[in-house]
């Protein structure tokens, strides 16, 4: 006697009553899940590791009150990004501003400037240029955290690369050390 390769599964043929039973069971599960909700989640924030920089006290300087060292011709310089924090550990916040000329077309190169105000609370002033617009860089990601300035810079591998199409990406960080900002490149430049 030979057995078929596939057993007879006549009991597996679906009938309309099977679909009704399945739909009813699914509706019951959905209804029950809406009644039995878990308790609200509670989360505690993990403490941030302490840095050697003191917490910043006072109002950060407003970059809108500063004349940036840009040659913009007939258009104005515009602050496109800004972030504040105590970069030099003196307890007073500095503001780092990403600035470029407000060109009507294209993507003008960015400058990155550190703005501070004296201990007497005087007028804000530029104290450092971290990125010069003449370097033809565009700033994408940008933040001040842990007493350092972090940025992603888009640039060009040569003067032959068109301005529309940057082909190099640098992740950089500047930290105040021994009276000046020192640039650190955590990762090597990447070609886009």
């Amino acid at each position: 006697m030979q057995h078929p390769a596939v057993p007879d599964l006549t009991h597996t043929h679906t009938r309309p009553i099977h679909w009704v039973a399945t739909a009813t069971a699914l509706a019951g599960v959905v209804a029950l899940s809406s009644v039995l909700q878990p308790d609200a989640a509670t989360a505690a924030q993990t403490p941030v590791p302490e840095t050697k920089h003191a917490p910043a006290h006072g109002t950060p300087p407003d970059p809108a009150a500063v004349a940036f060292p840009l040659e913009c011709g007939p258009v104005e310089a515009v602050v496109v990004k800004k972030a504040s924090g105590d970069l030099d550990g003196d307890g007073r916040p500095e503001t780092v501003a990403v600035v470029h000329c407000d060109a009507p077309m294209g993507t003008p190169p960015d400058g990155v400037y550190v703005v501070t105000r004296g201990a007497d609370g005087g007028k804000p002033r530029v104290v450092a240029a971290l990125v010069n617009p003449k370097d033809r860089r565009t700033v994408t990601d940008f933040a001040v955290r842990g007493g350092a300035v972090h940025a992603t810079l888009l640039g060009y591998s040569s003067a032959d690369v068109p301005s529309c199409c940057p082909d190099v990406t640098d992740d950089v960080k500047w930290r105040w050390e021994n009276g000046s900002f020192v640039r650190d490149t955590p990762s090597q430049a990447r070609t886009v």
Side-chain angles (χ1 to χ4, degrees):
M1 174 175 226
Q2 227 177 4
H3 295 293
V6 178
D8 182 18
L9 301 175
T10 55
H11 66 281
T12 62
H13 295 304
T14 58
R15 296 186 185 113
I17 192 68
H18 290 117
W19 293 112
V20 171
T22 302
T24 303
L26 184 59
V29 169
V30 169
L32 188 59
S33 70
S34 66
V35 172
L36 301 174
Q37 291 291 321
D39 291 338
T42 56
Q45 290 192 339
T46 306
V48 176
E50 290 186 35
T51 63
K52 65 180 179 180
H53 295 277
H57 298 290
T59 305
D62 182 5
V66 174
F68 292 97
L70 288 171
E71 297 293 326
C72 291
V75 297
E76 299 284 323
V78 61
V79 175
V80 291
K81 298 175 185 173
K82 66 181 179 176
S84 298
D86 184 10
L87 298 173
D88 58 4
D90 67 354
R92 292 187 313 267
E94 288 77 33
T95 298
V96 182
V98 178
V99 183
H100 64 227
C101 296
D102 194 13
M105 295 183 343
T107 305
D110 292 322
V112 178
Y113 302 97
V114 179
V115 178
T116 191
R117 116 175 63 232
D120 60 355
K123 184 177 177 178
R125 67 187 192 287
V126 174
V127 293
L130 304 179
V131 175
N132 189 325
K134 292 178 182 175
D135 296 336
R136 297 179 58 208
R137 299 295 186 140
T138 302
V139 178
T140 57
D141 294 330
F142 171 73
V144 171
R145 62 180 180 271
V149 179
H150 299 261
T152 300
L153 305 176
L154 302 180
Y156 308 92
S157 59
S158 74
D160 298 330
V161 177
S163 294
C164 70
C165 313
D167 64 342
V168 175
T169 302
D170 290 318
D171 292 321
V172 296
K173 175 174 71 173
W174 292 271
R175 186 172 295 283
W176 182 258
E177 292 179 12
N178 301 320
S180 65
F181 285 97
V182 177
R183 180 177 164 167
D184 178 32
T185 306
S187 63
Q188 296 297 328
R190 304 183 304 272
T191 303
V192 178

